[in-house]
């Protein structure tokens, strides 16, 4: 089974930091405040926080692609 995979669109990111605050094990911010994806395939124990961070992103710069859920 393929693990869920995260993507981050840094061009779309507005630097709100919700991702880094919600899932600091998975996301960080660079010196300009833009998202840094630390783990594109987060371990199982961080997936819930990663999903929450995706949903909280105000600019929709994050996406979670979960093959088990039928996502490409």
């Amino acid at each position: 089974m393929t693990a869920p995979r995260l993507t981050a669109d840094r061009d779309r990111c507005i630097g709100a930091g919700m991702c880094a605050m919600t899932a600091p094990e998975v996301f960080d911010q660079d010196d300009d405040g833009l998202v840094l994806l630390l783990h594109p395939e987060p371990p199982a124990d961080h997936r819930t926080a990663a999903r929450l961070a995706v949903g909280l992103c105000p600019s929709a710069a994050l996406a979670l692609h979960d093959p088990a859920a039928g996502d490409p």
Side-chain angles (χ1 to χ4, degrees):
M1 178 183 297
T2 304
R5 182 160 185 83
L6 291 163
T7 57
D9 184 344
R10 289 175 45 88
D11 291 330
R12 193 173 196 158
C13 178
I14 62 171
M18 295 302 297
C19 56
M21 287 187 285
T22 305
E25 302 84 4
V26 180
F27 302 100
D28 200 354
Q29 291 178 281
D30 66 12
D31 291 339
D32 294 322
L34 300 179
V35 63
L36 290 175
L37 186 54
L38 302 176
H39 297 286
E41 293 182 4
D45 56 336
H46 298 299
R47 287 184 196 147
T48 299
R51 280 187 183 91
L52 182 59
V54 169
L56 291 173
C57 180
S59 64
L62 306 175
L64 181 66
H65 309 278
D66 188 350
D71 296 335

